């Protein structure tokens, strides 16, 4: 199931399975003879890739250490990115020049914006993603990031030295020790170990140590952290079985097609890589009382469900749904895993029943009567570190220059991990250059809410982003993430490219200019009524009305305004995004 | 929820230091800080002075000062000889009280020393306490702040306490006492709960509506009955309260359990709460069954409650009482009155409505007497802050009704709830998520 393909020299290196050193032979890596980096990132998941590239973008010589290079960018659970709240995070990661949004625009197979009927503040950009393409594109991006070196190896211990007196913390990290005993030194270290800290996979009554199916857990590192005095908790999560595509009878199921046109995730893209008509559909089916029956009859064979470790209330397993909300039909989305994948991901059927019973249950479901389970669903239990032990810059209070990001902090989700990764990468780099930390506040972004919630309240279940957590939801919208973060990211963090910065500046000034022009255009309401007959403009009082106020009507957009008053409004409709954002800015949000 | 939140916030504030020391043995229990002490009664010469401590080392301090004796029984006054731990010199023979947390004013371990009020004794005891390791003098308001941080008092209660200490008149004293009991908080909490529930449904529809199959019906709210009325005596157990506008006066009606003796433990609790309310009420409506005045419980009621309030002379009476005899329809029209030797009373039949106008008129007069003094504050809202937030809540609810965009409507609800929780504490988003996950099966 692990995929190797065309990534040049780097792949050749990874095939040799050399343990150390495995520095990439790129001209800009400039790896010194005694391995010493500015920043080391441990883990190549969604937090690790963002952290490593962010640190490198900020100018730090960065090393990405991972168990296996071929799993970099692996989507180990659902084949999708984004959604309500999570899409917001992706836009903010993109505004800081992070990777996941751009990679998703190159790898999606079904793009759909959720919540379109509600206000633009709560639109949820979402897409089904081709796992293979995502991994490929991500690995290509990582390979081509200047200053970034990738190396295989499992970290066993941290190298600690005397603390810097001007900071809190009882010691300072200065490098890592690998399983083979070799050492690498660095100014900052970021841990993004996901579910690998004492990870344990559970299927039925069987458990075995693993960070992810087929991958070794990190036990030595977990012990190191505990010895240092970090408070450790335990969480659980799960993933559904994967079903053979050709064994499903789609013809009797409810088909859902993607948006046309597709809305890209990244501010830098106007379109996505694939046309809507070439994209793949999703299908919807439902559970039934027979599913409940199988779950309830076999609870004694299901140790994951019985245990007291906290799992997510959102994204619950089918077992906990049946137990908590009995006698209901639960939705099951059948999602494609990729363009040329033979697998279907049944979203909503996360389960830990013994493997043979999983197929039995699945074949009770409409459309899945003959379904073949290719890989069983399983549960994962893992250690996380109480996130109240880290600062808003994600550095630990206990150990100076040690940063945590992703599931290790008790979150769930690719987007939550990516968001923390960017912030950890930026701050690890800023710490090296002795600059003040880059902190996003609750008033500036979902990233700020996420990190503030974690670092002040902690969490007792896997933390997921919801728009309801955000106090300033009306102003922290997906459309304006660049105005909120790109400019700061460029000036305060140095993680944003010149090109993106200039684009964000242009957009910001165009919006300001557009709004002042709209304010300056005034006609009597009767004239507006004549100009835009389709608008329900009240003419009962003959007062001058500003174009800005006319734009507030639901049925009016920049196009209809520009048709009515071509000069000077026509130029604001040339850029689609600008026209749409003017309309949104004006809604009273 | 907010109590947990404050504890967490307090923990977070202590942050790294606590985490580092957590593993060392003998460290104070998690969630605790330094132990503080202060003279709690007024300064100057007085008969008795009270010195309090709060914090994990309280028990230790008490043991040291009263050595060689052990800790006294919790929450019982005990006579002890206090001596200086350094010199062993006797300081005073004092009453001491030991309040192990969390059942104490601050929620932490507390000790009270009731010593003789001479300045030498007081300063001697204070110095002795200061010599105990881990103890330090309290800062201004620190006891109350700890009580607040540990969820023992909410904000309106804290304000009530401040008002109580500064109360100048009897009416203000009772008002402050009610607030200390959390009455305003209780009322606002009820409203805030309603708004939280409403908001949770709107938020659920925003965060999960599209993918998780929540119906539009989620947005409609149910109504629930305020109280259950049954003919059986003993149905009303909790105190039911509802604010009403009675003849232009803002009134909080408390419906209590009947004061019956010798009933089960649950109803006994209802009776206890009823008696508590009786003491705090401005106006007592004593309701008896006109056809049942000879029964022992009615006689007992007349003898205790009615007689005791009536016995106060009208001029200094802080409490008022109206005796109402219901079920007048059961009395034979020609027959004798309800009974001899009754204090002034009103006859009422809730069944026929007879006597209702008379009761309302009598109520109006009594209320005018209670609230009529324009120099005092309105009875419920002692602070401008309270009025400001309640008005803000009301305004926001007006915006909620007008909004078409669901995100904007939800914002108005959030603002409304925010104003109320400014009075009651709480208001975190986790409460909303709790309701969402309790009420809906969301997630894939």
């Amino acid at each position: 199931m692990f995929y190797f393909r065309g990534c040049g020299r780097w792949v050749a290196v990874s095939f040799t399975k050399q343990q150390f050193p495995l520095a990439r032979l790129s001209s800009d890596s400039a790896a010194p003879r005694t391995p010493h980096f500015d920043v080391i990132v441990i883990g190549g998941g969604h937090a690790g890739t963002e952290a490593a590239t962010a640190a490198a973008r900020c100018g730090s010589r960065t090393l990405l250490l991972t168990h296996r290079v071929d799993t970099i960018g692996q989507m180990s659970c659902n084949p999708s990115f984004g959604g309500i709240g999570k899409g917001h995070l992706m836009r903010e990661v993109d505004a800081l020049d992070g990777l996941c949004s751009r990679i998703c625009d190159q790898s999606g197979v079904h793009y759909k914006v959720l919540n379109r009927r509600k206000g633009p503040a709560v639109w949820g950009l979402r897409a089904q993603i081709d796992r293979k393409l995502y991994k490929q594109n991500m690995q290509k991006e990582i390979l081509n990031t200047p200053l970034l070196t990738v190396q295989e190896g499992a970290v066993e211990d941290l190298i600690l030295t005397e603390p810097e007196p001007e900071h809190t913390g009882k010691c300072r990290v200065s490098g890592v020790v690998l399983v083979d005993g070799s050492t690498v030194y660095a100014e900052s270290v970021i841990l993004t170990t996901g579910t690998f800290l004492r990870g344990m996979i559970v299927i039925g009554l069987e458990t075995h140590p693993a960070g992810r199916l087929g991958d070794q857990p990190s036990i030595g590192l977990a012990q190191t952290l505990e010895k240092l005095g970090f408070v450790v908790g335990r969480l659980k999560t799960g993933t559904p079985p994967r079903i053979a595509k050709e064994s499903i009878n789609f013809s009797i199921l409810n088909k859902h097609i993607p948006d046309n046109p597709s809305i890209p995730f990244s501010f830098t893209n106007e379109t996505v890589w694939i046309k809507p008509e070439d994209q793949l559909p999703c299908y919807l089916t439902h559970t039934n009382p027979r599913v409940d029956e199988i779950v309830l009859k076999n609870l004694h064979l299901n140790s994951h469900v019985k245990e007291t470790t906290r799992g997510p209330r959102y994204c619950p397993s089918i077992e906990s749904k049946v137990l908590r909300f009995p006698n209901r039909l639960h939705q099951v989305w059948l999602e494609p895993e990729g363009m040329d994948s033979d697998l279907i991901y049944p979203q909503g059927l996360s389960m830990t029943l013994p493997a043979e019973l999983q197929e039995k249950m699945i074949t009770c479901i409409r459309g899945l009567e003959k379904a073949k389970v290719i890989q069983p669903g399983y549960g994962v239990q893992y250690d996380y570190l109480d996130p109240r032990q880290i600062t808003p810059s994600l550095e630990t209070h206990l150990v100076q220059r040690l940063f945590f990001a992703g599931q290790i902090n008790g979150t769930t989700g690719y987007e939550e991990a990516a968001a923390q990764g960017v912030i950890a990468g930026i701050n690890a780099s800023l710490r090296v250059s002795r600059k003040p930390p880059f902190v996003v506040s609750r008033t500036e972004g979902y990233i700020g809410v996420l990190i503030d919630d974690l670092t002040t309240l902690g969490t007792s279940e896997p933390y997921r982003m919801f728009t309801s957590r955000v106090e300033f939801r009306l102003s922290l919208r997906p459309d304006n993430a660049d105005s909120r973060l790109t400019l700061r990211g460029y000036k305060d963090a140095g993680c944003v490219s010149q090109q993106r910065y200039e684009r964000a500046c242009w957009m910001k000034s165009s919006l300001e200019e557009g709004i002042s022009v709209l304010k300056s255009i005034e006609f009597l309401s009767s004239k507006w009524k004549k100009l835009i007959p389709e608008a329900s403009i009240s003419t009962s009082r003959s007062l001058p009305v500003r174009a800005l106020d006319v734009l507030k009507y639901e049925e009016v957009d920049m196009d209809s305004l520009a048709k009515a008053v071509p000069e000077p409004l026509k130029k604001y409709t040339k850029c689609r995004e600008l026209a749409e954002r003017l309309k949104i800015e004006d809604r009273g949000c | 929820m907010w109590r947990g939140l404050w504890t967490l916030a307090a923990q977070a504030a202590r942050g790294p230091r606590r985490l580092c020391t957590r593993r060392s043995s003998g460290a104070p229990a998690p969630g605790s800080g330094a132990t503080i002490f202060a003279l709690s009664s007024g300064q100057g010469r007085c008969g008795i002075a009270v010195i309090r401590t709060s914090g994990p080392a309280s028990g230790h301090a008490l043991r040291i000062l009263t050595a060689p004796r052990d800790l006294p029984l919790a929450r019982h006054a005990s006579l002890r000889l206090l001596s200086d731990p350094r010199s062993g010199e006797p300081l005073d023979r004092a009453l001491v009280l030991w309040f192990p947390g969390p059942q104490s004013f601050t929620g932490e371990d507390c000790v009270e020393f009731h010593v003789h009020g001479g300045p030498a004794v007081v300063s001697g005891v204070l110095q002795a306490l200061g010599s105990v390791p881990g103890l330090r003098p309290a800062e201004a308001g620190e006891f109350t702040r700890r009580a607040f941080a540990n969820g023992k008092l909410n904000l309106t209660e804290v304000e009530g306490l401040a008002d109580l200490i500064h109360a100048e008149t009897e009416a203000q004293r009772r008002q402050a006492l009610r607030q200390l009991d959390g009455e305003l908080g209780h009322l606002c909490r009820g409203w805030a709960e309603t708004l939280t529930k409403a908001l949770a449904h709107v938020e659920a529809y925003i965060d999960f509506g599209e993918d998780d199959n929540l119906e539009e019906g989620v947005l409609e709210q149910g109504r629930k009955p305020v109280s259950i009325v049954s003919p059986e005596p003993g149905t009303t157990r909790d105190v039911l309260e509802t604010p009403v506008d009675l003849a232009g006066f803002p009134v909080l009606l408390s419906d209590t359990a009947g004061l019956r003796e010798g009933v089960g433990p649950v109803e006994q609790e209802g009776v206890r709460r009823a008696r508590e309310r009786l003491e705090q009420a401005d106006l007592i409506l004593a309701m008896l069954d006109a056809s049942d005045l000879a029964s022992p419980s009615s006689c007992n009621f007349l003898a205790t409650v009615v007689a005791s309030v009536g016995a106060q002379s009208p001029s200094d009476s802080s409490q008022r009482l109206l005796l109402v005899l219901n079920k007048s329809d059961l009395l034979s029209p020609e027959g004798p009155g309800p009974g001899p030797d009754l204090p002034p009373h009103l006859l009422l039949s809730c069944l026929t409505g007879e006597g209702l106008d008379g009761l309302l008129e009598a109520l109006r007069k009594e209320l005018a007497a209670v609230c009529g003094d324009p120099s005092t504050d309105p009875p419920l809202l002692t602070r401008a802050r309270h009025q400001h937030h309640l008005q803000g809540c009301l305004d926001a609810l007006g915006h909620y009704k007008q909004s078409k965009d669901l995100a904007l409507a939800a914002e108005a609800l959030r603002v409304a709830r925010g104003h109320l929780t400014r009075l009651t504490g709480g208001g975190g988003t986790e409460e909303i998520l709790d309701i969402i996950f309790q009420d809906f099966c969301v997630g894939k």
Side-chain angles (χ1 to χ4, degrees):
Chain A
M1 73 180 274
F2 301 108
Y3 187 79
F4 299 83
R5 194 168 113 188
C7 289
R9 287 166 296 193
W10 169 81
V11 165
V13 179
S14 82
F15 270 138
T16 63
K17 293 277 178 198
Q18 238 175 293
Q19 277 298 308
F20 182 82
L22 201 79
R24 184 162 56 85
L25 306 170
S26 146
S27 58
D28 45 55
S29 70
R33 217 159 274 153
T34 47
H36 191 128
F37 291 86
D38 293 328
V39 176
I40 293 179
V41 178
I42 301 164
H46 302 284
T49 49
E50 295 291 355
T53 47
R57 282 199 305 280
C58 291
S60 291
R61 285 171 305 109
T62 306
L63 173 69
L64 175 60
L65 273 172
T66 171
H67 281 191
R68 292 170 42 181
V69 274
D70 59 289
T71 58
I72 288 176
Q74 173 138 315
M75 300 168 64
S76 40
C77 192
N78 49 311
S80 62
F81 255 91
I84 301 159
K86 288 166 170 277
H88 292 67
L89 283 175
M90 289 177 73
R91 291 287 276 181
E92 293 180 4
V93 168
D94 185 63
L96 294 170
D97 228 348
L99 304 182
C100 64
S101 292
R102 277 185 294 125
I103 307 288
C104 281
D105 288 344
Q106 301 163 19
S107 320
V109 292
H110 176 117
Y111 293 84
K112 183 157 184 68
V113 177
L114 304 179
N115 263 352
R116 261 298 165 86
R117 284 181 301 149
K118 298 157 202 169
V122 295
W123 288 347
L125 274 71
R126 188 179 189 281
Q128 299 302 135
I129 306 290
D130 184 314
R131 289 181 193 283
K132 200 170 72 182
L133 279 177
Y134 188 88
K135 199 152 90 172
Q136 260 176 31
N137 290 326
M138 178 58 86
Q139 292 180 359
K140 206 190 304 175
E141 184 78 29
I142 295 281
L143 180 72
N144 288 311
T145 302
L147 298 179
L148 178 60
T149 308
V150 180
Q151 182 188 315
E152 259 184 2
V155 173
E156 193 67 12
D157 207 348
L158 302 173
I159 303 171
L160 301 169
T161 51
E162 283 300 301
E164 297 162 284
E166 67 274 26
H167 291 276
T168 57
K170 65 176 181 184
C171 55
R172 169 191 163 180
V173 69
S174 61
V176 297
V177 181
L178 302 187
V179 171
D180 63 1
S182 59
T183 52
V184 191
Y185 287 89
E187 300 294 311
S188 298
V189 173
I190 306 174
L191 281 190
T192 68
T193 48
T195 60
F196 279 64
L197 287 183
R198 275 197 277 257
M200 184 77 86
I201 281 187
V202 188
I203 306 180
L205 297 175
E206 288 170 39
T207 60
H208 50 272
R212 175 165 60 198
L213 208 56
D215 289 321
Q216 285 301 305
S218 307
I219 291 170
L221 195 55
Q223 286 166 347
T224 301
L225 294 171
E226 211 164 25
K227 250 183 274 159
L228 276 167
F230 284 104
V231 178
V232 179
R234 198 129 175 101
L235 291 175
K236 68 177 180 184
T237 185
T239 192
R242 310 297 145 85
I243 302 173
K245 193 175 185 176
E246 84 280 341
S247 68
I248 299 174
N249 179 10
F250 291 112
S251 64
I252 56 169
L253 297 179
N254 199 346
K255 182 176 177 178
H256 287 255
I257 58 164
D259 284 342
N260 188 2
S262 303
I263 308 296
F265 287 98
S266 174
F267 283 98
T268 57
N269 291 330
E270 277 171 26
T271 53
V272 298
W273 72 293
I274 185 172
K275 282 187 259 168
E277 54 269 32
D278 297 334
Q279 295 177 22
L280 301 174
C282 292
Y283 293 87
L284 181 62
T285 181
H286 291 89
T287 64
N288 54 46
R290 290 204 50 209
V291 170
D292 289 29
E293 202 184 304
I294 292 175
V295 167
L296 295 173
K297 258 192 191 161
N298 296 292
L299 283 178
H300 61 289
L301 299 174
N302 207 331
S303 61
H304 195 64
V305 175
K306 285 183 288 185
E307 296 201 3
T308 48
T309 308
R310 290 290 294 268
R313 288 177 297 177
Y314 185 82
C315 208
S317 63
I318 186 68
E319 291 97 332
S320 38
K321 284 195 261 190
V322 167
L323 288 173
R324 291 190 49 227
F325 297 91
N327 306 317
R328 292 212 204 160
L329 304 185
H330 301 283
Q331 287 188 336
V332 177
W333 286 96
L334 299 176
E335 302 178 346
E337 293 239 321
M339 265 317 186
D340 53 7
S341 168
D342 304 327
L343 296 182
I344 289 292
Y345 179 92
Q347 178 89 271
L349 280 185
S350 165
M351 63 175 89
T352 54
L353 277 171
E356 61 280 9
L357 284 168
Q358 295 194 8
E359 193 162 278
K360 189 175 161 201
M361 181 215 275
I362 279 175
T363 49
C364 299
I365 296 173
R366 187 174 150 80
L368 303 179
E369 292 85 354
K370 293 184 179 152
K372 287 270 161 290
V373 170
I374 303 297
Q375 178 199 305
Y378 61 89
V380 187
Q381 301 184 358
Y382 56 97
D383 281 0
Y384 77 107
L385 301 172
D386 184 336
R388 284 171 292 176
Q389 302 170 94
I390 53 178
T391 68
S393 72
L394 302 183
E395 181 174 354
T396 68
H397 288 297
L398 270 180
V399 180
Q400 298 172 355
R401 297 174 176 245
L402 179 64
F403 295 76
F404 294 158
Q407 264 172 311
I408 191 174
N409 288 334
T411 61
T412 174
Y414 306 150
E415 305 80 357
E416 286 82 353
Q420 293 169 68
V422 173
I423 298 300
I426 290 170
N427 282 304
S429 175
L430 289 175
R431 191 76 161 76
V432 175
S433 47
R434 302 188 178 278
K435 287 185 191 141
F438 181 79
V439 174
V440 179
S441 82
R442 295 186 80 94
T443 64
E444 284 175 309
Y446 277 53
I447 294 180
V449 174
L450 169 82
I451 292 176
D452 186 57
D453 278 351
L454 289 174
T455 55
T456 58
L457 301 179
T459 186
S460 56
E461 66 174 332
Y463 181 103
R464 182 192 191 275
M465 197 71 236
F466 300 115
T467 71
S468 46
R469 298 191 191 271
V470 181
E471 295 84 358
F472 305 98
R473 180 167 63 192
L474 290 183
S475 24
L476 307 185
R477 300 186 308 270
D479 64 273
N480 64 11
D482 59 343
S483 316
R484 292 183 274 122
L485 294 175
T486 302
L487 310 187
R488 270 201 69 204
Y490 179 82
K491 288 179 190 149
D492 303 344
C495 65
V496 172
S497 73
Q498 185 68 27
Q499 195 186 356
R500 185 187 285 268
Y501 171 69
E502 279 166 12
R503 189 184 177 285
C505 289
W506 173 82
M507 182 58 77
K508 192 162 184 263
S509 61
S510 303
L511 281 169
E512 280 161 7
E513 184 195 295
I515 285 170
S516 73
V517 167
L518 286 167
K519 275 184 188 162
S520 69
I521 300 172
E522 277 192 344
F523 297 127
L524 288 177
S525 50
S526 50
K527 180 165 178 192
W528 280 119
K529 185 77 201 166
K530 253 178 249 162
L531 286 168
I532 311 175
E534 66 271 26
S536 57
I537 296 166
S538 158
T539 51
S540 57
R541 283 195 293 174
S542 62
L543 290 169
V545 177
R546 299 179 306 175
L548 193 74
D549 298 318
V550 176
L551 187 58
K552 282 193 167 68
Y553 287 92
E554 227 176 303
E555 55 279 13
V556 178
D557 58 15
M558 279 307 287
D559 285 336
S560 46
L561 266 185
K563 218 181 281 168
V565 194
E567 282 313 318
L569 292 183
K570 216 169 99 191
K571 75 174 201 190
Y572 296 101
T573 60
K574 285 203 180 107
C575 170
R576 190 93 315 262
E577 189 192 339
L578 175 61
E580 279 163 14
R581 284 176 69 167
L582 276 169
K583 168 79 184 164
I584 293 172
E585 286 288 340
D586 194 36
R587 283 174 78 121
C589 297
Chain B
M1 168 66 205
W2 68 273
R3 294 182 172 185
L5 206 135
W6 270 98
T7 320
L8 290 177
Q11 282 171 6
R14 276 190 296 281
R17 192 147 47 114
R18 188 178 77 79
L19 293 166
C20 288
T21 56
R22 207 184 70 99
R23 269 150 208 285
S24 65
S25 61
S32 58
T35 300
I36 51 172
F37 65 91
L39 174 65
S40 296
S41 51
Q43 296 283 349
R45 200 172 293 276
C46 48
I48 300 284
V50 179
I51 295 166
R52 283 196 299 191
T53 75
S54 174
S58 288
H60 179 61
L62 177 55
R63 239 189 244 115
I64 285 190
L65 261 69
T66 59
R69 304 196 51 182
D70 214 343
L71 283 179
L73 209 55
R75 288 177 295 281
H76 280 73
S78 319
L79 194 61
R80 289 283 191 276
L81 180 68
L82 305 184
S83 20
D84 191 297
R86 294 161 297 185
S87 60
E89 201 179 309
L91 293 166
D92 190 16
R93 191 168 283 281
L95 272 187
V96 299
L97 287 121
W98 162 236
F99 302 95
Q103 283 151 355
S104 68
F105 170 64
T106 60
E108 303 175 324
D109 290 352
C110 288
V111 171
E112 283 185 16
F113 300 92
H114 296 230
V115 301
H116 293 98
V121 176
V122 170
S123 82
V125 175
L126 288 176
Q127 279 177 19
L129 283 172
S131 73
V132 178
L135 263 70
R136 65 165 170 82
E139 285 156 29
E142 202 173 359
F143 280 94
T144 313
R145 195 175 64 95
R146 288 191 175 196
F148 177 61
N150 290 325
K152 285 284 172 178
L153 294 173
N154 69 30
L155 207 50
T156 54
E157 287 171 322
V158 171
E159 289 174 335
L161 188 66
D163 283 352
L164 184 63
I165 291 167
H166 297 294
E168 281 158 12
T169 68
E170 182 61 16
Q172 281 176 9
R173 184 192 66 80
R174 268 186 297 123
Q175 170 62 34
L177 201 62
R178 274 200 311 243
Q179 194 167 310
L180 183 63
D181 190 32
E183 195 159 308
L184 174 64
H186 187 72
L187 183 66
C188 292
R189 234 177 349 258
W191 291 336
E193 270 168 30
T194 309
L195 280 185
T196 302
K197 182 105 184 159
L199 181 58
H201 284 225
V202 173
E203 296 286 357
Y205 190 63
I206 288 176
D207 269 339
F208 310 106
E210 196 135 315
D211 251 17
D212 284 303
N213 206 19
L214 295 186
E215 302 297 324
E216 300 267 355
V218 161
L219 296 175
E220 290 157 23
Q221 276 187 68
R223 286 185 47 176
K224 62 173 184 185
V226 171
S227 72
I228 303 160
V229 181
S230 141
E232 268 176 66
T235 313
T236 306
R237 283 169 181 171
D238 203 355
V239 180
L240 297 169
E241 301 197 308
T242 186
V244 292
D245 180 334
L246 246 174
F249 294 106
V251 175
L252 186 70
L253 276 185
S254 309
D255 183 11
T256 70
L259 301 179
R260 303 198 305 155
E261 305 294 336
V263 288
V266 177
E267 198 182 339
Q268 269 305 315
E269 173 61 18
V271 171
R272 192 193 63 75
R273 291 183 189 188
R275 288 197 189 281
E276 205 175 83
R277 275 294 181 283
L278 265 184
E279 280 167 24
Q280 296 167 356
D282 290 306
L283 173 63
I284 299 168
L285 270 180
M287 182 81 90
L288 284 178
D289 185 337
S291 64
D292 188 38
L293 289 175
S295 73
S297 68
S298 297
C299 290
N300 184 29
F301 184 80
L302 285 169
T304 55
V305 179
V306 178
S308 75
V309 175
Q312 296 168 339
S313 73
S315 60
D316 72 8
S317 167
S318 52
Q319 257 185 341
R320 292 164 174 273
L321 182 137
L322 274 180
L323 179 59
V324 183
L325 303 179
N326 188 20
K327 306 194 187 173
S328 64
D329 49 293
L330 292 181
L331 299 173
S332 68
E334 296 87 31
D341 307 329
L342 272 180
H345 59 267
L346 294 156
L347 278 175
L348 172 72
S349 167
C350 288
L351 188 70
T352 63
E354 201 181 322
L356 204 57
D357 288 345
L359 174 62
L360 285 177
E361 179 54 26
L363 268 177
R364 197 194 61 75
K365 276 191 191 145
E366 293 289 336
L367 289 172
V370 174
C371 312
D373 184 353
S375 68
T376 59
D377 286 336
L380 194 59
L381 307 174
T382 51
R383 300 199 162 209
R385 196 175 77 83
H386 300 161
Q387 192 169 3
H388 168 78
H389 287 302
L390 289 179
Q391 188 61 48
C393 172
L394 212 58
D395 294 347
L397 286 176
H399 289 142
Y400 171 70
K401 280 190 192 160
Q402 292 162 10
S403 297
K404 278 186 198 156
D405 177 331
L406 196 62
L408 292 178
E411 184 63 22
L413 266 190
R414 287 171 162 210
V415 171
R417 174 171 175 260
H419 277 297
L420 283 186
T421 53
R422 225 72 59 83
L423 299 182
T424 61
T429 54
E430 207 52 41
E431 292 169 25
I432 293 176
L433 292 172
D434 286 343
I435 295 178
I436 292 177
F437 291 121
Q438 206 174 325
D439 288 2
F440 308 111
C441 184
V442 288
K444 301 169 291 181

